């Protein structure tokens, strides 16, 4: 590829670029929380423009317009990082999987923008807002996979733990995703709608909060189980550390959740809890990755040749 020398600077910095992309997708959750918690969801009342006459916020939109427009600007940061990661992946020799993952991250960003636009055009429909959040979770997943694949080989994945532990890891990840999804439903039933006139999903906040809490207890139980099991089978230290870190993060997240519930959802704690949701999912992915490895692809061994008997003439080529 004649343009490959131009991509080498991106290739040299690919790992920090990938980490920056992952962190930026988590930060997007926080900026989205700021929009909703400050009632700035309709700070820019239309999309793709901010107002009918301007793509940017105006003085008349006030602080709400600035907060909403600032959240939209983060899309360009994410897009820039995604393009840099794509160029860096192109410069990696024979790493098509990296290129595919970088494309997936890049495509997810305009999709996120479109869903954000639909959110505004539907006057902050709580189900669309929830989809907006879940798409962030999907982007974090792909961005995490891209970041971790940089240091892996291209061989077939190889398990580092017994099969029952792999199944327990998948079950823990499923419970973690369920906690996040039901948390989105809880948010849609609560008071922080993003705008004082926005509708809620109509569900009983106490009832869905109880379901959410039950799932949290299930997740913590599964996470403790996999931590103890990994220690019992003398699993790699990285896997034990990842599982232990997941338990610690879940306990901290659970504490924030209970305090915010019993203190009537102060905005600071709600924002911290939303950030925590992204961090819990990150830690969940770390556990899954620690249960297997992907070695470098080995070259096929040359075919064995049968030596000719001594004195036998060598056939002409």
């Amino acid at each position: 590829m004649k343009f490959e020398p131009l991509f080498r600077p991106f290739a040299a910095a690919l790992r920090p670029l990938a980490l920056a992309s992952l962190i930026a997708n988590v930060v997007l959750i926080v900026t989205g929380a700021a929009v909703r918690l400050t009632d700035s969801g309709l700070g820019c009342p239309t999309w793709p423009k901010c107002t009918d006459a301007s793509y940017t916020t105006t003085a008349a939109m006030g602080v709400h317009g600035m907060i909403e427009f600032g959240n939209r600007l983060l899309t360009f940061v994410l897009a820039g990082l995604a393009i840099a990661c794509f160029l860096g992946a192109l410069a990696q020799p024979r790493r098509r999987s990296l290129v595919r993952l970088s494309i997936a991250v890049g495509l997810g960003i305009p999709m996120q923008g479109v869903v954000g636009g639909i959110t505004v055009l539907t006057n902050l429909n709580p189900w669309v807002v929830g989809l907006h959040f879940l798409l962030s979770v999907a982007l974090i997943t792909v961005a995490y996979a891209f970041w971790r694949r940089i240091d892996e080989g291209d061989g077939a994945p190889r398990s580092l733990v017994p099969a029952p532990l792999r199944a327990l890891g998948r079950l823990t990840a499923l419970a973690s995703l369920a906690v996040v999804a039901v948390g989105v439903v809880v948010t849609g039933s609560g008071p922080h709608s993003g705008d004082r006139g926005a509708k809620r999903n109509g569900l009983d906040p106490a009832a869905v909060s109880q379901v959410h809490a039950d799932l949290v207890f299930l997740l913590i139980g599964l996470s403790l189980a996999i931590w103890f099991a990994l220690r019992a089978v003398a699993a790699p230290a990285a896997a034990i550390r990842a599982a232990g870190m997941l338990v610690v993060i879940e306990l901290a997240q659970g504490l924030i959740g209970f305090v915010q519930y019993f203190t009537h959802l102060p905005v600071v704690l709600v924002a911290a809890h939303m950030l925590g949701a992204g961090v819990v999912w990150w830690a969940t992915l770390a556990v899954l990755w620690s249960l297997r490895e992907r070695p470098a692809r080995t070259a096929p061994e040359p075919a064995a040749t049968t030596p000719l008997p001594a004195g036998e003439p060598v056939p002409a080529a």
Side-chain angles (χ1 to χ4, degrees):
M1 185 185 298
K2 64 180 180 179
F3 295 109
E4 187 173 329
L6 298 177
F7 302 158
R8 285 175 186 162
F10 298 104
L14 186 55
R15 198 173 194 282
L17 283 171
L19 180 58
S21 176
L22 174 58
I23 293 172
N25 277 287
V26 175
V27 170
L28 185 63
I29 292 177
V30 181
T31 60
V35 170
R36 187 167 59 82
L37 296 172
T38 59
D39 289 333
S40 301
L42 297 178
C44 288
T46 188
W47 186 87
K49 292 183 176 181
C50 187
T51 70
D52 290 334
S54 174
Y55 282 97
T56 63
T57 186
T58 64
M61 308 305 297
V63 66
H64 295 307
M66 293 176 61
I67 293 173
E68 164 64 7
F69 185 68
N71 186 55
R72 293 188 182 189
L73 286 179
L74 185 57
T75 300
F76 295 97
V77 176
L78 291 169
L81 288 169
I83 292 171
C85 288
F86 172 69
L87 296 178
L90 280 179
Q92 301 292 320
R94 297 180 297 278
R95 297 301 302 273
R96 293 182 180 179
S97 60
L98 282 182
V99 175
R100 288 194 294 267
L101 284 170
S102 68
I103 291 173
V105 174
L107 291 178
I109 294 166
M111 287 176 57
Q112 184 74 299
V114 170
V115 174
I118 295 172
T119 301
V120 171
L121 297 176
T122 57
N123 294 317
L124 309 183
N125 181 291
W127 299 107
V128 181
V129 173
L131 178 61
H132 199 32
F133 184 91
L134 292 177
L135 186 53
S136 284
V137 173
L139 271 170
I140 289 171
T141 304
V142 181
Y144 183 88
F146 178 76
W147 176 55
R148 291 297 298 263
R149 286 288 285 118
I150 292 171
D151 293 332
E152 293 182 329
D154 286 322
R158 183 170 60 200
S159 178
L160 297 173
V161 297
L165 271 181
R166 296 199 307 272
L168 181 57
R170 290 191 290 268
L171 183 60
T172 303
L174 182 62
S176 182
L177 186 59
V179 167
V180 172
V182 176
V184 169
V185 178
V186 173
T187 299
S189 69
H192 299 297
S193 62
D195 185 83
R196 294 180 182 179
K199 294 181 180 179
R200 304 282 72 209
N201 60 26
L203 299 176
D204 179 20
V208 291
S209 294
Q210 184 60 59
V211 173
H212 181 61
D214 292 342
L215 287 171
V216 168
F217 285 123
L218 173 63
L219 174 59
I220 293 175
L222 289 170
S223 300
L224 283 169
I226 196 169
W227 180 65
F228 280 117
L230 288 170
R231 291 171 61 88
V233 300
I240 297 172
R241 285 195 303 270
M245 183 60 67
L246 176 61
V247 172
V248 170
I249 292 172
E250 287 169 353
L251 291 175
Q253 174 75 336
L255 177 62
I256 294 172
F258 277 106
V259 172
Q260 73 163 2
Y261 181 81
F262 289 109
T263 55
H264 307 292
L265 306 177
V267 294
V268 173
L269 289 182
V270 173
H273 199 53
M274 292 185 70
L275 171 62
V279 176
V280 166
W281 184 242
W282 183 332
T284 302
L285 295 173
V287 171
L288 287 179
W289 246 257
S290 72
L291 301 180
R292 61 7 137 239
E293 66 177 356
R294 192 186 287 267
R297 190 185 301 275
T298 56
E301 295 183 1
T305 57
T306 303
L308 294 172
E312 188 78 17
V314 178

